Amino acid sequence: MSHVPGTPVALLHGVGLDAGMWEPVRDALKRNSVAIDLPGHGRRPALTAPTSLAELAADVLERLPEKSHLVGFSLGALIAQYIARFHPDRVETLTCVNSVCRRTEDESTAVLTRLAAAESDFPATVEASIDRWYTGTSVPQSVVETTRRTLAGNDVGSFVHAYRVFATGDAVIGPELGNIHVPTLAVTGELDPGSTPDMTLRLAEAIPGARSLVVPGARHMLPVQDADVLAGAINDFIQESEGERA
């Protein structure tokens, strides 16, 4: 990672993962970056009670740089949107990676079904996630195994509390998206079945002035599958936004 002066990039991972998922992206970014473990993940204490998008955002906010280019993946994207909406002074730019947005009734039903499955058979949920995220990709098996170990290592109760926020958080932040006024990029994978290209287009339409990018051939783990492409898109977006403010 090169140490370039200026506002750092802050990276928020997805449910069941940890800050380590960002290593390939951090290596390819042209600026300082910090990857933060979400509450209940990585080195943070397990979640022992139901929580909310607002509570997760408040916890993350305490550990963010004073100001950052905020990048969130999946659940991290919902948290990043919340912070950009209610604490815009802390956010230079917002990048939402593989984010859900304003789920339809069918999309909500699908994710609530996965939530129920996680509560009843967590090992099967781990395998279903790995299959949904990586099948058909050229991601090395060693990397897939690292993701599997991270997922399987979760405290099940904590995972369920976090996943419930992921399953319902878009309904919380959805009505507020029009009030986000920081430069925003929404990006997802062409083949992501859960955080679909349609959702990324919805997000870009909902946030004033936002732009969208769909990466051909990518599935949900875009930051792992196509780290160089994602890092390049983030670098270009930040540079452009800085140029517009100059």
Side-chain angles (χ1 to χ4, degrees), residues 24-25 28-29 95 97 185 187-189 213-218 222-237:
V25 172
L29 283 172
T95 301
V97 183
L185 171 66
V187 54
T188 196
L213 173 66
V214 176
V215 178
L222 172 60
V224 175
Q225 184 183 349
D226 284 309
D228 287 350
V229 173
L230 178 58
I234 294 168
N235 284 326
D236 289 348
F237 171 57

Side-chain angles (χ1 to χ4, degrees), residues 13-19 36-49 51 55-56 59-60 63 75 79 122 150-151 153-163:
H13 63 79
V15 65
L17 302 169
D18 62 22
I36 293 172
D37 283 328
L38 299 185
H41 294 76
R43 298 179 181 181
R44 307 299 294 172
L47 297 167
T48 56
T51 187
E55 288 172 341
L56 296 184
D59 183 293
V60 167
R63 295 178 286 125
L75 172 59
I79 294 170
F122 184 68
T150 302
L151 276 174
N154 277 276
D155 175 279
V156 177
S158 182
F159 177 90
V160 167
H161 290 317
Y163 202 92

Side-chain angles (χ1 to χ4, degrees), residues 58-213:
D59 183 293
V60 167
L61 200 61
E62 290 181 3
R63 295 178 286 125
L64 279 179
E66 186 175 343
K67 193 150 195 167
S68 67
H69 295 286
L70 189 55
V71 178
F73 167 76
S74 198
L75 172 59
L78 296 178
I79 294 170
Q81 290 159 29
Y82 192 96
I83 291 170
R85 165 63 182 94
F86 294 106
H87 303 276
D89 55 309
R90 302 287 297 277
V91 181
E92 197 82 40
T93 64
L94 170 66
T95 301
C96 303
V97 183
N98 299 78
S99 179
V100 297
C101 180
R102 296 178 174 174
R103 287 182 177 100
T104 63
E105 193 172 334
D106 285 349
E107 289 164 348
S108 291
T109 299
V111 75
L112 290 171
T113 299
R114 293 203 298 272
L115 172 64
E119 292 183 271
S120 63
D121 189 347
F122 184 68
T125 288
V126 170
E127 292 312 309
S129 297
I130 293 294
D131 182 52
R132 204 166 58 247
W133 296 352
Y134 288 123
T135 295
T137 72
S138 58
V139 174
Q141 193 59 35
S142 60
V143 176
V144 175
E145 285 305 319
T146 297
T147 303
R148 179 182 273 113
R149 279 196 303 274
T150 302
L151 276 174
N154 277 276
D155 175 279
V156 177
S158 182
F159 177 90
V160 167
H161 290 317
Y163 202 92
R164 185 169 284 109
V165 177
F166 171 65
T168 59
D170 62 301
V172 173
I173 194 60
E176 298 289 343
L177 295 173
N179 296 312
I180 293 176
H181 298 294
V182 301
T184 300
L185 171 66
V187 54
T188 196
E190 175 194 14
L191 305 178
D192 189 331
S195 303
T196 62
D198 276 353
M199 290 188 185
T200 278
L201 295 175
R202 277 176 225 163
L203 191 55
E205 288 170 3
I207 298 175
R211 63 188 73 177
S212 63
L213 173 66

Side-chain angles (χ1 to χ4, degrees), residues 2-7 30-32:
S2 58
H3 289 275
V4 180
T7 305
K30 294 177 182 173
R31 26 185 92 231
N32 283 334

